[in-house]
Amino acid sequence: MGYRGTIKDFPGADPLRDVEVLRKAMKGFGTDENAIIELLGSRPNKQRVPLKAAYKTTYGKDLVSDLKSELRGNFESLVLAMLKAPAHFDASELREAISGAGTDEACLIEILSSRSNAEIREITKIYKAEYGKSLEDAISGDTSGHFRRLLVSLSQVQTLIMCIVSNHVPSVYFSVKCIKNTPAYFAERLHKAMQGAGTKDRTLIRIMVSRSEVDMLDIRQEYLRLYGMSLYTAISGDTSGDYKKLLLKLCGGSD
């Protein structure tokens, strides 16, 4: 079927040249956001993540700290998410879903039921190293009953134990739905994130970043089929400024 992502390898990308562009964009009065958008929006994760080490080597400074001091709001969150390796990003999102005010069950299901066994093993390893607690223990301490067993089974080997309880039928339903038709599931998650008053930006950022090199082309097709509108148009109407520009780079086209 070929590559179904929207962000492809940038030919001849050079981390040392790239960090020079980023440094220049942040130096002096004001920030050149467009230079940051153009650069990060045209590099896949494996060409973005090494920029942190290259920046440190070249300038003796921390790229993430410098970006944090220059950027604000959702644009900052999106840029920082794009500089994390996928398993590190997933681990930090799971941590936030578990430790935030109230468990974000939809986020737990989204990550645990859409990643491969190998990816989940890597996430679990990183979670333990970063947060000093196993992912299974964190989930067990923060969720209840059958839903907990469902999630723990997903976090162990991505095997679905069908434990349908009245409280968590929607959650179980969505995990099954995700496994059956992943692009349609993500199209629906994106639609819900942008629907109604206020955008669920954390969900929007997570999906756009994590699927841009996996199946974004398929998600775009499903979005158009389900909602009669391109994902590009939906994002354009629901976001603004530099945040919008970088999200649209990840979206990759107006269909």
Side-chain angles (χ1 to χ4, degrees), residues 6 12 15 30 83 98 107 160 168 194 209-210 220 236 246 250-251:
T6 45
L83 288 169
I98 292 165
C107 171
L160 202 55
H168 294 294
M194 294 185 279
V209 171
S210 65
R220 275 170 31 188
S236 297
L246 190 48
L250 293 171
C251 183

Side-chain angles (χ1 to χ4, degrees), residues 124 127-128 132-139:
T124 305
Y127 195 97
K128 181 78 188 277
K133 191 178 195 179
S134 78
L135 181 56
E136 290 94 306
D137 287 349
I139 288 168

Side-chain angles (χ1 to χ4, degrees), residues 33 47 84 90 130 148 152 183 198 218 223 245 252:
E33 286 89 355
Q47 291 179 335
K84 287 181 179 175
D90 283 344
E130 296 269 322
R148 177 198 301 159
V152 168
D218 300 318
Y223 199 95
K245 287 182 201 169

Side-chain angles (χ1 to χ4, degrees), residues 95-229:
R95 168 76 168 179
E96 183 62 29
I98 292 165
S99 64
T103 308
D104 183 350
E105 293 173 357
C107 171
L108 298 182
I109 290 240
E110 177 199 305
I111 293 173
L112 296 174
S113 58
S114 64
R115 307 311 191 245
S116 69
N117 291 348
E119 286 166 340
I120 286 174
R121 280 194 293 273
E122 179 70 6
I123 293 162
T124 305
K125 195 171 80 182
I126 287 164
Y127 195 97
K128 181 78 188 277
E130 296 269 322
Y131 307 114
K133 191 178 195 179
S134 78
L135 181 56
E136 290 94 306
D137 287 349
I139 288 168
S140 298
D142 207 60
T143 55
S144 57
H146 294 290
F147 182 63
R148 177 198 301 159
R149 290 204 290 278
L150 166 76
L151 284 175
V152 168
S153 69
L154 283 170
S155 72
Q156 284 168 345
V157 276
Q158 209 209 25
T159 313
L160 202 55
I161 296 174
M162 285 301 295
C163 345
I164 299 193
V165 194
S166 56
N167 283 355
H168 294 294
V169 170
S171 305
V172 175
Y173 166 70
F174 278 118
S175 65
V176 174
K177 192 188 225 181
C178 175
I179 290 164
K180 281 180 72 174
N181 184 347
T182 304
Y185 165 81
F186 279 113
E188 191 175 333
R189 290 276 290 148
L190 286 167
H191 183 68
K192 284 187 171 161
M194 294 185 279
Q195 217 180 17
T199 303
K200 295 187 181 75
D201 292 291
R202 192 169 194 107
T203 302
L204 183 56
I205 290 169
R206 184 175 59 250
I207 296 173
M208 294 305 292
V209 171
S210 65
R211 307 313 290 185
S212 61
E213 295 177 50
V214 182
D215 53 2
M216 188 56 72
L217 294 178
D218 300 318
I219 292 168
R220 275 170 31 188
Q221 280 179 0
E222 289 294 335
Y223 199 95
L224 191 60
R225 181 181 69 80
L226 290 166
Y227 306 108
M229 172 197 285

